[in-house]
Amino acid sequence: MDVRLGALGLRTILPVLAVMAASCASQPGRREATSEVDACSRLKAVIASADNRFENIKGPKSIHRLGDRWDAESIFPDTACEVWRWSGNEHYYCLWNKTGEAAARQSFEEGKKAVGTCLGSEWTLTEEQARTGRVAVFSRENADTRVSLRYLADTRRYRPTWYTSLIVGNALSDPEEIFHPAP
């Protein structure tokens, strides 16, 4: 199947995703050229690996107070992503920092469009308001794996910090239950 993304698709979100703020930085600091088709193929490979608990994309394991985590291959260049195990479930997780709510919301909207284009019409998008920000969940009929995009605020600080996240996993049925580990 040939997947082509529009001009405002992944090409638009790639620079935004380059400022990932995940807690590990396993990727080298150099920029690697990635085509839209490559990024979409990587996303689909992450989705396919969900049924196998992401075993084929996990890197080195480390213990965190919130659960086990593994470095993971990123979908986009100059990003760092992880696989987290919490509450018995494993999820592929990426988090990037934005300078404010408007930037996080814009990144969310661009990501939602790019992911939707990549996944195609067999995936259904549901979107709703979250405690902070919004959450969009892509799902397929008769499949457990979900892809979630969200923009959210870390309100533990005096001035909230806004982030955008991408999560792939099999236990993402209720957007309010999606856990976001501290950056």
Side-chain angles (χ1 to χ4, degrees):
M1 176 162 86
D2 187 17
V3 178
R4 301 213 186 267
L5 302 175
L8 294 176
L10 286 177
R11 193 173 331 129
T12 303
I13 197 169
L14 286 174
V16 173
L17 293 174
V19 287
M20 293 293 287
S23 63
C24 69
S26 62
Q27 300 296 317
R30 71 186 196 293
R31 265 200 115 90
E32 297 175 19
T34 299
S35 73
E36 296 167 1
V37 173
D38 288 342
C40 185
S41 294
R42 289 181 186 175
L43 175 60
K44 289 181 177 183
V46 168
I47 292 167
S49 70
D51 288 336
N52 193 24
R53 303 179 71 94
F54 305 101
E55 290 300 326
N56 57 331
I57 62 171
K58 287 180 183 174
K61 180 181 178 180
S62 61
I63 306 300
H64 187 278
R65 65 181 173 81
L66 299 173
D68 296 337
R69 74 169 186 78
W70 294 262
D71 294 342
E73 183 178 324
S74 297
I75 295 171
F76 307 103
D78 290 338
T79 62
C81 297
E82 304 166 331
V83 173
W84 278 85
R85 178 187 302 145
W86 61 79
S87 302
N89 298 305
E90 292 183 18
H91 300 89
Y92 177 86
Y93 180 75
C94 302
L95 177 75
W96 56 100
N97 187 0
K98 303 311 303 173
T99 57
E101 181 179 3
R105 184 181 321 117
Q106 179 181 354
S107 179
F108 166 79
E109 292 297 334
E110 291 168 352
K112 185 174 62 172
K113 184 175 181 178
V115 169
T117 300
C118 176
L119 297 179
S121 61
E122 58 272 355
W123 289 77
T124 302
L125 170 65
T126 56
E127 186 176 346
E128 62 186 67
Q129 190 67 36
R131 263 180 289 165
T132 62
R134 290 190 66 78
V135 63
V137 178
F138 292 88
S139 61
R140 287 184 294 189
E141 191 173 322
N142 300 320
D144 292 332
T145 303
R146 309 278 190 268
V147 177
S148 166
L149 283 161
R150 182 174 180 184
Y151 76 96
L152 65 146
D154 180 353
T155 57
R156 296 174 293 174
R157 300 177 177 134
Y158 171 72
R159 182 181 227 163
T161 303
W162 287 86
Y163 298 92
T164 307
S165 70
L166 169 78
I167 302 176
V168 177
N170 289 345
L172 301 178
S173 57
D174 181 357
E176 283 301 319
E177 292 177 3
I178 297 173
F179 175 74
H180 290 276

